[in-house]
Amino acid sequence: MAIRKVAIACQGGGTHAAFTWGVLRTILATKKSWDANPQDGDTFRIIALSGTSAGALCAFATWYGLAPNTADADCGTIDKAVERLDHLWTTFAATTPAETALNQIVGTLLHWKSRGMPFPGSNPYDPKADLGLTSLSMMGARQEYLGFPALLKAVCPDFDSIDWPRLAKADLRIIVGAIEVLSGNFEIFDSDKTLEQMGLLPDGREIDQYDIVRWRMRRSISLEGVAASGTLPEVLPAQVIGDMTFPTCDTGRTVTRNGYYWDGLYSRNPPVRDLLDAATREEKPDEIWIVRINPQEFRPASLNISLEDIDDRVNDLAGNLSLGQELDGIMTVNQWIRRYGDSHPPLDTRKIIDVRTIKMTRETAWGLKHTSKFDRSPAHFARLREEGERVAERWLADWRALGNDFERYPNDARYPETA
């Protein structure tokens, strides 16, 4: 039996990431089943998760359940990870009468707007926005429904009691992506950074992030960082995180100020390259599984398409831009190793990484609209979760059965040709 080290990267895409909920549930349940019967074939070990926006919520809930915790003995198990994932999406769904009514109103307005009907824009910084949230709360909307900080506190109630020393030995990492508005920095919130600051992991990086890679910053993991990853600027004010250090134009000099963060869609969707920054090739994953929400390709019946179709495709392309660039980098290194080998610098610390895609069926992916990324109805969530479960069950069976012949990126990001 071979055990492959796997990193799972979860793309953001609003509530369409309920598909990721189903995928991760099935991956976790399958791993539990396979670990119980090791003689049946190859299996995998999850060493890292990453995500952006709703993908970050999924990845973080999974990681929290898998991470050991001094206040909750159930943490550190697959069952707890599944339970936290379920709690995330059932809490995030519109369930009270006020939430259900708001969800229906928002859906109707977005549909009309996509058809060209003019509507005044909303400003999350307008004082009336706070008044509206207060009114919704008074009518029965839960704080967990209205904002990410309360939602994350409900999903990860004992975050402050994570057993970091045991986590360091468990080799389980979480990375979420966000963008800092004022600097334009692409930033990640990284559990390995937390361990380094605690002295529980060595930081072997020779590059100073405040100098050489100043536009790409690593921060310690926090609930605020995860909330930042999902902060859509049209809907919510920027997530503020205090006492953040930033580089200046003067080499070696930094400044400390509040950080203002927006959704990771505008930076990295999801973070991938950081999953490979281990010091040795043995520490790197063997495979990266991309849970894709935004379809790579789209084939309309004709190019005589509507404004709504254009908006849908622009949304897909924006969500895929950074992912394609990061995966191209991995493909390039893979090609170099195949051509030149890995015996000499700079390839002696690298290895070939198999990148694989878990995606929706073509009918589902091409049938969804960008406006439905805001639909928080339980029925919408359930449909996408069930699709994720079906897709992942078949995908994992093929992964085990086909082994090295199982399809890889970039070909597996496409859909089969139709007659």
Side-chain angles (χ1 to χ4, degrees):
M1 178 193 71
I3 301 177
R4 300 279 285 173
K5 291 185 294 185
V6 168
I8 304 173
C10 304
Q11 195 176 45
T15 63
H16 292 179
F19 170 79
T20 306
W21 174 23
V23 168
L24 291 176
R25 285 183 102 256
T26 302
I27 288 174
L28 291 166
T30 301
K31 175 171 173 51
K32 183 177 180 180
S33 173
W34 288 0
D35 287 351
N37 299 281
Q39 72 279 358
D40 290 346
D42 292 349
T43 188
F44 58 91
R45 178 166 66 89
I46 301 170
I47 65 168
L49 297 116
S50 76
T52 288
S53 195
L57 296 177
C58 289
F60 190 71
T62 303
W63 174 84
Y64 176 83
L66 294 173
N69 194 299
T70 60
D72 187 344
D74 291 334
C75 283
T77 66
I78 287 177
D79 288 343
K80 186 67 174 184
V82 172
E83 188 262 338
R84 288 294 87 190
L85 263 173
D86 291 348
H87 189 74
L88 165 67
W89 285 94
T90 54
T91 304
F92 191 55
T95 52
T96 72
E99 294 163 1
T100 301
L102 175 65
N103 188 63
Q104 292 173 344
I105 292 169
V106 169
T108 300
L109 292 177
L110 288 173
H111 176 70
W112 287 348
K113 185 177 181 179
S114 71
R115 295 299 180 92
M117 186 173 292
F119 284 100
S122 60
N123 183 356
Y125 298 94
D126 190 321
K128 293 191 290 292
D130 286 337
L131 181 61
L133 290 176
T134 301
S135 300
L136 288 168
S137 181
M138 293 176 64
M139 289 188 289
R142 297 161 295 129
Q143 291 302 310
E144 297 90 336
Y145 183 84
L146 297 174
F148 287 131
L151 174 65
L152 286 165
K153 192 63 179 176
V155 174
C156 310
D158 297 307
F159 176 78
D160 292 338
S161 298
I162 287 174
D163 193 335
W164 294 102
R166 287 179 59 200
L167 182 68
K169 297 177 182 178
D171 188 22
L172 178 66
R173 186 182 186 189
I174 180 67
I175 301 172
V176 301
I179 194 163
E180 206 280 322
V181 182
L182 303 186
S183 65
N185 286 347
F186 288 15
E187 305 212 357
I188 60 167
F189 296 86
D190 182 1
S191 61
D192 272 10
K193 182 70 172 180
T194 305
L195 292 168
E196 291 163 14
Q197 291 176 335
M198 291 180 171
L200 297 170
L201 275 185
D203 184 359
R205 294 167 184 79
E206 299 176 356
I207 297 177
D208 181 1
Q209 73 171 355
Y210 298 113
D211 182 15
I212 304 300
V213 291
R214 54 177 299 149
W215 308 117
R216 293 189 287 110
M217 308 294 291
R218 292 174 69 234
R219 312 289 191 182
S220 59
I221 192 69
S222 66
L223 296 184
E224 293 83 5
V226 182
S229 185
T231 301
L232 282 173
E234 303 92 342
V235 179
L236 296 168
Q239 176 71 35
V240 180
I241 306 179
D243 298 325
M244 305 297 278
T245 302
F246 294 88
T248 69
C249 294
D250 299 326
T251 301
R253 192 174 75 85
T254 60
V255 62
T256 299
R257 62 168 172 83
N258 287 343
Y260 297 88
Y261 290 91
W262 280 348
D263 195 294
L265 172 68
Y266 302 99
S267 59
R268 309 172 67 183
N269 187 27
V272 175
R273 63 182 298 165
D274 301 277
L275 297 168
L276 307 181
D277 64 4
T280 67
R281 68 179 67 169
E282 290 75 20
E283 297 174 277
K284 300 178 190 292
D286 300 311
E287 302 191 15
I288 298 176
W289 296 351
I290 308 293
V291 185
R292 184 181 288 273
I293 301 301
N294 302 296
Q296 173 68 32
E297 60 179 4
F298 174 62
R299 305 280 183 88
S302 75
L303 289 180
N304 184 23
I305 56 178
S306 67
L307 181 61
E308 183 180 14
D309 293 325
I310 295 172
D311 288 341
D312 288 337
R313 192 58 184 150
V314 167
N315 188 271
D316 290 337
L317 296 174
N320 284 334
L321 177 62
S322 63
L323 175 61
Q325 292 172 334
E326 294 201 37
L327 295 183
D328 283 351
I330 296 175
M331 297 296 101
T332 298
V333 173
N334 285 351
Q335 183 180 25
W336 287 347
I337 293 174
R338 292 188 179 101
R339 181 176 298 173
Y340 305 113
D342 58 6
S343 301
H344 304 286
L347 298 178
D348 58 332
T349 60
R350 311 280 181 166
K351 71 178 183 181
I352 292 176
I353 308 292
D354 290 328
V355 178
R356 306 190 194 276
T357 307
I358 306 175
K359 62 185 185 296
M360 300 175 187
T361 62
R362 176 173 49 199
E363 293 72 24
T364 297
W366 293 358
L368 289 169
K369 303 296 183 182
H370 75 278
T371 52
S372 64
K373 290 183 175 182
F374 296 90
D375 184 359
R376 293 169 68 174
S377 66
H380 176 63
F381 287 4
R383 284 192 295 271
L384 288 171
R385 186 205 72 228
E386 290 165 2
E387 164 127 342
E389 290 171 338
R390 288 192 299 269
V391 166
E393 184 176 9
R394 174 63 183 272
W395 191 94
L396 287 163
D398 289 344
W399 178 88
R400 175 177 257 192
L402 297 176
N404 196 49
D405 293 330
F406 191 42
E407 60 183 357
R408 298 174 178 81
Y409 181 85
N411 290 336
D412 68 357
R414 303 189 63 189
Y415 292 103
E417 302 289 340
T418 56

